Amino acid sequence: MPGQCWARRGACLTACEREEQKIFEVALQTWEDDPTSEWMTTEVCIEDYHQLFGRNTLPMNWCYEASVSDSKATFVRECYEWAQDQFEHKLNDWQCDLTLHLTFLISKILPNVGWPTDQVLFNLEDHLDELHKNDMHRVIQAVHTLPWVPKNAKGAKDKSSYYTQVSIVFLC
């Protein structure tokens, strides 16, 4: 058979194209199997994230320096430094692992990461006040109905900064 036909392309591949395809597939598999290979949260969709669960390196776009550069408060800087140390030396601990998974998922809804500041939030607060304290199911339902809205803040516009900042806040 002179060429291999691929249903997706609708055309037969030449020997050179088949070789290039095979090299690409091997390289991709090698990257997926290597827990130390570089990756970026902005380049991974939720459906493929499970392939990165075994990573023992932070994503390339996790940037501590950019996150603390604007912070003048000593307490904030100390928290960020503590979190950076945890991520560098205890990345495989369950706290860091859970933090990074949750942060990844939340970062995928950017820019809709804010609470509404208008009448919707006011109505929710009234509704929560009416609910019985022991009826957590109804409280959760009320929060679930709250719409997420775009947040107009510097960190919510840059996906890399947002991922880093939220992971630090969650871990602290």
Side-chain angles (χ1 to χ4, degrees):
M1 184 179 260
Q4 180 179 348
C5 291
W6 287 59
R8 282 189 261 164
R9 289 186 62 188
C12 292
L13 296 177
T14 65
C16 184
E17 289 173 328
R18 283 194 310 275
E19 185 65 28
E20 287 175 0
Q21 180 69 25
K22 183 68 175 167
I23 291 170
F24 172 78
E25 289 171 2
V26 168
L28 180 62
Q29 190 63 49
T30 302
W31 174 81
E32 288 176 350
D33 292 344
D34 182 4
T36 63
S37 61
E38 296 178 341
W39 66 287
M40 291 182 64
T41 59
T42 54
E43 302 295 323
V44 179
C45 62
I46 291 175
E47 296 83 12
D48 296 332
Y49 183 61
H50 68 281
Q51 297 170 349
L52 304 174
F53 282 177
R55 300 287 171 182
N56 56 21
T57 58
L58 286 168
M60 291 173 46
N61 57 323
W62 194 91
C63 184
Y64 165 79
E65 290 78 17
S67 296
V68 297
S69 62
D70 295 337
S71 178
K72 307 275 190 279
T74 304
F75 174 74
V76 172
R77 194 171 282 283
E78 288 173 355
C79 287
Y80 275 43
E81 289 170 359
W82 175 84
Q84 180 189 25
D85 183 68
Q86 296 298 299
F87 285 130
E88 286 179 358
H89 298 103
K90 298 180 180 181
L91 187 61
N92 292 324
D93 284 0
W94 72 268
Q95 296 96 334
C96 292
D97 199 37
L98 179 61
T99 294
L100 294 176
H101 291 318
L102 293 174
T103 303
F104 175 81
L105 294 173
I106 289 175
S107 70
K108 292 302 179 181
I109 64 170
L110 276 174
N112 298 323
V113 293
W115 294 96
T117 56
D118 57 7
Q119 190 64 34
V120 174
L121 185 57
F122 182 73
N123 291 343
L124 177 69
E125 289 172 353
D126 285 346
H127 184 61
L128 291 176
D129 288 341
E130 294 171 9
L131 293 174
H132 191 271
K133 288 183 180 181
N134 293 328
D135 192 357
M136 289 307 295
H137 180 69
R138 290 187 64 205
V139 171
I140 291 170
Q141 283 180 326
V143 171
H144 281 183
T145 62
L146 184 66
W148 291 91
V149 297
K151 184 176 181 181
N152 191 15
K154 181 180 76 170
K157 293 177 183 157
D158 177 10
K159 290 182 180 185
S160 295
S161 294
Y162 184 79
Y163 180 82
T164 304
Q165 291 171 355
V166 170
S167 67
I168 290 171
V169 169
F170 279 4
L171 189 62
C172 289

